Amino acid sequence: MGNKDEVSIMGCGWLGLPLAAQLVKAGYRVKGSTTTPQKLELLQQKGISPYLLNLQDKNLDRVALKDFLKTQVLVLNIPPHLRSDGGEGYLEQMHLLLEFLSDSPVSRILFVSSTSVYLDLNRVVTEEDIAFTEEQQPEHMLLQAEKLFQENDGWLTTILRFGGLVGEDRRPGRFLAGKKNVPNGDAPVNLIHLDDCLTIIHRLIEEDKWGQVFHACADKHPLRKEFYTKAALALSLTPPEFNDMDETRFKLINSQKIKDALAYSFLHPDPMGFF
């Protein structure tokens, strides 16, 4: 973008907050939303215009939401809590947001998604392989949400599917430490460091890469048993014990498309170097 536009980031949590701060430093005018009242002051301190917005709240401040959406670019970063209600509440939130978007100046949406939408195909997976999920699991909540924004003519949506998010206080050594009989030890991991997440989103906005679908995972994919053993030991924790008798089911996420589109080299290409 030649001129520094306004960007609204819905969901200023683990990923959204440092992203908002980075865009402010780059000269963007940034609006950021949070569901936590105590966080409003923190956003303000970082130069972010703060909004208290909870799409699940029946007393949602609709005036504030309309003002939040007075922007050209919306980064939608609300992870669904699929375990709590199967994602029904999440889809309701997305439908509500769509109502407000249809009456807003938003012309570009970056939807932060996950490579968890892909089935375990026991092979390398590219963006085109989403057809298998659409065929086998058309009810997948995150996939349904992606489509809500992709299939609207009012704006251009880029879907960015990240692998497992690691970095800052997300220490993977804690995830499986001390556990026994852990399955899938011989499956490759699909992970990405926070630094790469922030840089990739910034570049996509800066270079106007809209109306596309991308993966983003570190180049290397060590085996789960190698990675989580080293990660636990790095924190002086008891490493997990893996069950090698189970059938290995996996997907190996290929990120070549985004590397080509941005001429991008990952800052952290090997998860074994994350600790």
Side-chain angles (χ1 to χ4, degrees), residues 88-148:
E88 292 292 341
Y90 174 70
L91 276 183
E92 286 175 15
Q93 291 179 64
M94 296 301 100
H95 279 288
L96 175 62
L97 181 58
L98 279 172
E99 287 178 34
F100 282 84
L101 277 168
S102 62
D103 189 31
S104 81
V106 171
S107 62
R108 304 286 185 268
I109 295 176
L110 199 155
F111 187 104
V112 177
S113 187
S114 167
T115 57
S116 65
V117 297
Y118 293 97
L119 301 176
D120 287 332
L121 300 175
N122 291 351
R123 59 171 172 78
V124 173
V125 171
T126 68
E127 286 81 356
E128 286 69 38
D129 286 310
I130 200 62
F132 286 93
T133 304
E134 292 171 337
E135 182 182 313
Q136 301 292 324
Q137 294 184 347
E139 72 288 350
H140 194 296
M141 290 296 172
L142 195 49
L143 198 56
Q144 286 187 57
E146 288 182 4
K147 286 181 173 295
L148 285 177

Side-chain angles (χ1 to χ4, degrees), residues 161-177:
R161 298 183 185 130
F162 283 133
L165 303 171
V166 179
E168 291 297 310
D169 59 342
R170 287 204 183 174
R171 309 292 293 278
R174 298 188 188 125
F175 296 172
L176 300 177

Side-chain angles (χ1 to χ4, degrees), residues 2-272:
N3 60 325
K4 293 301 181 187
D5 288 292
E6 199 162 55
V7 176
S8 289
I9 299 175
M10 179 155 270
C12 283
W14 182 84
L15 172 64
L17 181 58
L19 173 65
Q22 181 166 318
L23 291 177
V24 166
K25 284 183 181 174
Y28 287 83
R29 299 186 306 279
V30 180
K31 298 176 181 178
S33 82
T34 178
T35 58
T36 309
Q38 296 86 339
K39 237 181 173 178
L40 294 171
E41 188 177 343
L42 175 61
L43 266 64
Q44 190 110 41
Q45 288 170 356
K46 292 181 178 292
I48 305 155
S49 298
Y51 288 77
L52 185 64
L53 296 171
N54 186 345
L55 297 176
Q56 291 179 297
D57 190 347
K58 290 177 181 173
N59 299 315
L60 171 69
D61 187 339
R62 292 172 174 252
V63 174
L65 180 54
K66 283 192 82 165
D67 191 64
F68 176 78
L69 293 175
K70 286 179 182 172
T71 183
Q72 287 190 344
V73 176
L74 172 67
V75 177
L76 188 51
N77 177 44
I78 307 178
H81 300 289
L82 300 180
R83 289 175 189 163
S84 55
D85 63 356
E88 292 292 341
Y90 174 70
L91 276 183
E92 286 175 15
Q93 291 179 64
M94 296 301 100
H95 279 288
L96 175 62
L97 181 58
L98 279 172
E99 287 178 34
F100 282 84
L101 277 168
S102 62
D103 189 31
S104 81
V106 171
S107 62
R108 304 286 185 268
I109 295 176
L110 199 155
F111 187 104
V112 177
S113 187
S114 167
T115 57
S116 65
V117 297
Y118 293 97
L119 301 176
D120 287 332
L121 300 175
N122 291 351
R123 59 171 172 78
V124 173
V125 171
T126 68
E127 286 81 356
E128 286 69 38
D129 286 310
I130 200 62
F132 286 93
T133 304
E134 292 171 337
E135 182 182 313
Q136 301 292 324
Q137 294 184 347
E139 72 288 350
H140 194 296
M141 290 296 172
L142 195 49
L143 198 56
Q144 286 187 57
E146 288 182 4
K147 286 181 173 295
L148 285 177
F149 296 92
Q150 281 177 300
E151 295 175 352
N152 195 296
D153 294 333
W155 50 77
L156 286 174
T157 299
T158 283
I159 305 293
L160 178 57
R161 298 183 185 130
F162 283 133
L165 303 171
V166 179
E168 291 297 310
D169 59 342
R170 287 204 183 174
R171 309 292 293 278
R174 298 188 188 125
F175 296 172
L176 300 177
K179 294 191 175 179
K180 300 185 185 302
N181 212 28
V182 179
N184 255 6
D186 288 320
V189 298
N190 298 290
L191 299 172
I192 184 167
H193 195 282
L194 176 62
D195 294 344
D196 282 301
C197 296
L198 301 178
T199 307
I200 286 170
I201 293 175
H202 189 174
R203 290 275 304 275
L204 288 173
I205 295 171
E206 196 78 28
E207 297 178 26
D208 289 322
K209 302 294 185 184
W210 301 110
Q212 303 188 60
V213 178
F214 295 110
H215 293 162
C217 280
D219 291 325
K220 296 196 175 177
H221 304 265
L223 300 184
R224 270 165 58 87
K225 61 186 179 185
E226 295 171 354
F227 177 78
Y228 285 105
T229 296
K230 182 178 178 183
L233 293 173
L235 295 176
S236 300
L237 298 174
T238 304
E241 295 178 13
F242 287 88
N243 178 0
D244 290 332
M245 303 301 290
D246 284 345
E247 178 189 359
T248 299
R249 298 204 55 78
F250 70 94
K251 49 187 172 260
L252 195 154
I253 301 295
N254 178 296
S255 299
Q256 193 60 46
K257 183 179 174 184
I258 199 161
K259 289 168 68 176
D260 290 344
L262 298 176
Y264 188 70
S265 297
F266 278 84
L267 303 171
H268 302 276
D270 186 355
M272 296 299 266

